[in-house]
Amino acid sequence: MGRDAYVVGAGPNGLAAAIELARAGLEVKLIEAADEVGGGLRSAELTLPGFVHDVCASVVPLAVASSFMATLPLSELGVRFVEPELCLAHPLPGGDAVVLARELDETCEGLGLDGARYRRLLEPLVAAKDELFATFLGPLTVPREPRAALAAARFGPAALSSAQLLARTAFRGHRARALFAGLAAHAIQPLERPGTAAFGLMLAISGHSAGWPFVAGGSGKLAEALARHFTDLGGVIETGRKVTSVAELPEDAHVLLDLAPKAVLEILGERLSGRYRRGLQRYRYGPGVFKLDIALSGPVPWLAEACRRAGTVHVGGTLEEIAAAERLVWRGVHPQRPFVLVAQPSLLDAERAPAGKHTLWAYCHVPHGSEVDMSEAVLRQIERFAPGFRDLILASHARTAAGYERYDPNFVGGDINTGVQDLRQLFTRPVARLDPYSTPDERFFICSSATPPGGGVHGLCGAGAARSLLRRLELGA
């Protein structure tokens, strides 16, 4: 028996698309190539029994800021978010650290003379968080409400700047500059590129407004809850089936693809017009990530006390050090001192490790498609700010950038954002088009992170694509 719609790929966005369509009354089937749903939202015992590691995403600030996630009964589905005492700590040479706290006042206090400057920059943006999230976490639109237009006008000039320029002009001291550099480095771009400041600003806003939480028990619990909600709505899930051609799907069904443009081309082929097909072929993928998961006999012995209270730790030193590392990656060079993103979920989630033991999640940026094992460079960076750290290691699991593409083909070359998120491609992903989710074939839509608003655990790409289909079917949304 046929279905009204099929969703291919069960990552966070595929799950979101399936839920949105099922809520509108469509019969929906979700098809996933792997043996379990989740894509980049899975957890597993990667090192030792009893140690639960998040395979990809771990810290999920956009999940609690997402307008789509807010519509779901997550607590009823058993999802519990756990929030650390500090969103982020950023250790500095000499044993000190600067922090991003949920409270703006606490963050400002740690920035010394730059505290007032930080407040002037962030306070009005945090106050306008709802308008900013509505405007920028989705397809590029012109704000119609006066409050939204005013918020965008405040955000735009600073956001369009390069992170390096904004850090140097907005702040006088190395502490605030380092904090902002670490936030902006999530862009996975050289910090001198225009638009990289937007990433730092949005992550700071989300920290002050929604926090930087983990999912209790592992990120995979969120994927399981989304799948359960979808089946409760009458949806059907088939795992272990890879779709390689449109011939494998019913001719009369609408199809949403939670896939990278590379896979979309393989499946749709000549059904796409020449211009659109060439656009997908020109789609740009960025650097990859190298990831290290570690089982520890105790908590990390950070020199800076603040790092022991933070869920996330940015290990990279000064603005200049972080900028140099990210610049090298884009030149195809593996930095000896990479910028390392560290998560410590077991500090506040006892479900992650046996009593007294801990898990550590760490990754750094590497050139596209890299097969290089960066374990030693990552360990050196952490040891630099936490002497004695190596002595606590019980076991570790490494995955290269190329290994990430083998794990999930959406991560082309290890690019976890499914495409570069710079000014050229952030709002025109995957191809410049009034409806970015649609394709020239009216039956097919793209709902992966290759569509707006891009990477992150928020489900907004999937929800946006589903609403696009519903509008075409004149079912609202």
Side-chain angles (χ1 to χ4, degrees):
M1 181 178 178
R3 316 291 291 185
D4 289 323
Y6 286 76
V7 178
V8 179
N13 287 306
L15 288 161
I19 289 170
E20 196 74 6
L21 295 176
R23 288 198 294 198
L26 274 64
E27 291 189 38
V28 186
K29 184 171 186 178
L30 180 58
I31 303 172
E32 168 58 43
D35 292 332
E36 61 179 314
V37 302
L41 200 60
R42 297 180 186 143
S43 303
E45 293 182 342
L46 297 176
T47 55
L48 296 170
F51 289 82
V52 178
H53 303 273
D54 293 324
V55 179
C56 298
S58 189
V59 187
V60 289
L62 294 181
V64 290
S66 166
S67 58
F68 167 75
M69 294 288 183
T71 68
L72 305 179
L74 292 179
S75 60
E76 296 174 21
L77 292 166
V79 175
R80 183 170 60 89
F81 292 106
V82 289
E83 190 171 336
E85 184 179 348
L86 295 172
C87 298
L88 162 71
H90 186 124
L92 298 167
D96 195 7
V98 62
V99 306
L100 178 73
R102 180 71 180 269
E103 296 299 325
L104 189 63
D105 287 346
E106 186 175 355
T107 302
C108 292
E109 287 172 8
L111 296 176
L113 295 176
D114 274 326
R117 291 171 171 266
Y118 184 90
R119 184 184 299 280
R120 282 197 298 272
L121 178 64
L122 266 300
E123 192 167 47
L125 301 180
V126 173
K129 67 183 187 312
D130 293 336
E131 290 80 12
L132 290 174
F133 290 156
T135 300
F136 294 103
L137 291 184
L140 182 61
T141 57
V142 177
R144 295 183 180 179
E145 297 294 327
R147 282 177 56 86
L150 179 60
R154 286 174 172 164
F155 180 74
L160 290 172
S161 172
S162 76
Q164 186 167 264
L165 178 62
L166 183 62
R168 287 176 173 169
T169 55
F171 308 119
R172 297 288 180 86
H174 71 283
R175 296 171 63 81
R177 289 177 176 181
L179 176 65
F180 192 75
L183 292 168
H186 285 253
I188 318 184
Q189 298 174 51
L191 298 190
E192 57 268 25
R193 285 197 173 186
T196 48
F199 290 83
L201 293 171
M202 288 299 283
L203 285 173
I205 293 167
S206 66
H208 292 308
S209 60
W212 281 22
F214 299 93
V215 179
S219 294
K221 297 290 186 182
L222 178 55
E224 292 169 10
L226 295 177
R228 188 162 59 254
H229 186 53
F230 171 59
T231 56
D232 288 345
L233 292 168
V236 174
I237 299 175
E238 180 181 358
T239 57
R241 177 187 168 193
K242 182 177 181 179
V243 175
T244 59
S245 168
V246 293
E248 300 170 32
L249 300 169
E251 276 293 332
D252 59 345
H254 288 89
V255 180
L256 277 68
L257 302 170
D258 183 10
L259 302 172
K262 179 181 177 181
V264 173
L265 283 165
E266 293 170 356
I267 290 175
L268 295 187
E270 297 303 317
R271 295 181 71 111
L272 300 175
S273 67
R275 182 178 180 182
Y276 186 85
R277 186 167 62 251
R278 289 191 296 273
L280 291 186
Q281 290 168 343
R282 290 193 298 267
Y283 187 77
R284 295 175 299 123
Y285 301 95
V289 300
F290 169 83
K291 180 150 173 289
L292 196 60
D293 288 287
I294 305 173
L296 298 170
S297 61
V300 180
W302 301 105
L303 287 174
E305 186 270 339
C307 295
R308 303 172 200 167
R309 299 187 287 123
T312 301
V313 182
H314 283 170
V315 181
T318 64
L319 161 66
E320 291 72 22
E321 288 180 282
I322 296 169
E326 296 302 288
R327 192 180 306 121
L328 286 174
V329 169
W330 271 81
R331 293 176 180 172
V333 178
H334 295 79
Q336 294 184 0
R337 280 191 168 185
F339 172 62
V340 181
L341 295 96
V342 173
Q344 309 180 111
S346 58
L347 287 182
L348 56 152
D349 183 3
E351 299 178 51
R352 300 295 189 112
K357 307 296 192 297
H358 287 275
T359 61
L360 195 78
W361 174 102
Y363 81 85
C364 66
H365 304 145
V366 294
H368 182 88
S370 170
E371 285 278 20
V372 173
D373 187 324
M374 292 285 286
S375 296
E376 183 58 30
V378 169
L379 294 176
R380 276 200 310 268
Q381 279 287 70
I382 298 175
E383 182 84 12
R384 175 184 168 198
F385 297 98
F389 165 71
R390 290 175 187 262
D391 298 335
L392 303 177
I393 297 175
L394 300 174
S396 64
H397 174 275
R399 183 173 272 128
T400 65
Y404 260 113
E405 182 172 1
R406 290 189 288 270
Y407 165 78
D408 187 333
N410 274 3
F411 302 146
V412 178
D415 179 353
I416 57 174
N417 285 325
T418 315
V420 178
Q421 297 188 139
D422 60 8
L423 291 180
R424 284 175 55 197
Q425 193 166 269
L426 183 59
F427 294 107
T428 60
R429 29 197 315 126
V431 175
R433 195 173 172 85
L434 282 176
D435 180 354
Y437 309 105
S438 68
T439 72
D441 188 318
E442 63 179 16
R443 290 179 50 221
F444 290 88
F445 294 76
I446 301 176
C447 66
S448 69
S449 292
T451 63
V457 179
H458 44 62
L460 293 166
C461 305
R467 291 165 190 163
S468 179
L469 170 57
L470 293 173
R471 285 192 297 271
R472 181 169 294 180
L473 297 176
E474 298 182 349
L475 292 175

